[in-house]
Amino acid sequence: MLMTAARRAAGNAHSPCSGIRVGAAVLTGHERVFVGCNVENASLGLTTCAERVAIQSAVAAGEKELVAVAVFSPEIEGITPCGACRQVMAEFRAPAPPGLLVLVQGKRGTEAIPLSKLLPRAFTGSKGGGG
Ligand code: THU
């Protein structure tokens, strides 16, 4: 299960600055799973969220269509992906409906939220005349 993979990845978090562990797992259109954890740095601005580590790992393996992302943190109550991660997810969401589903599990339990709800009208870079 995707959330189990995210939970396991949270165990590898490198978070000496915040003490917050986050794990993520992405499911691709080819049914492959890639995981990530948050990787902090003494130079704080260099921190990378678990979601982006997982997505970048999928892309590095040639997987550019994501159907689901699971995010787990044992510390955060109602965890949801940050704005930067939402934008990165939008870049690689599966084009066919229902698009990309985001599963979140923090201290409050599990929730499934479509990316289209977390980031409506995402910037796509399209130069089309569609307003
Ligand atoms: N973090 C994530 O990895 N994913 C999220 O969705 C929210 C925040 C990390 C970044 C940082 O290492 C720590 O959580 C506290 O912000």
Side-chain angles (χ1 to χ4, degrees):
M1 188 209 172
L2 205 59
M3 191 57 78
T4 306
R7 179 194 289 265
R8 205 173 293 137
N12 294 327
H14 179 73
S15 50
C17 309
S18 72
I20 292 171
R21 293 165 290 176
V22 185
V26 301
L27 177 68
T28 76
H30 297 117
E31 296 185 14
R32 295 176 71 189
V33 173
F34 296 85
V35 299
C37 61
N38 54 329
V39 183
E40 297 184 348
N41 191 277
S43 177
L44 300 176
L46 299 182
T47 291
T48 310
C49 292
E51 295 92 320
R52 271 175 291 152
V53 172
I55 292 167
Q56 287 161 4
S57 176
V59 172
E63 295 284 344
K64 295 187 181 178
E65 275 190 27
L66 308 181
V67 295
V69 179
V71 188
F72 172 85
S73 175
E75 278 86 27
I76 301 180
E77 226 165 82
I79 187 163
T80 57
C82 78
C85 288
R86 294 177 196 199
Q87 179 65 30
V88 172
M89 287 176 192
E91 185 81 16
F92 299 109
R93 69 187 156 203
L100 175 56
L101 191 63
V102 180
L103 311 165
V104 291
Q105 186 179 342
K107 284 200 283 192
R108 273 214 305 259
T110 308
E111 203 182 337
I113 315 162
L115 178 65
S116 57
K117 213 169 164 191
L118 287 174
L119 187 65
R121 302 182 64 178
F123 175 68
T124 63
S126 164
K127 290 184 193 161

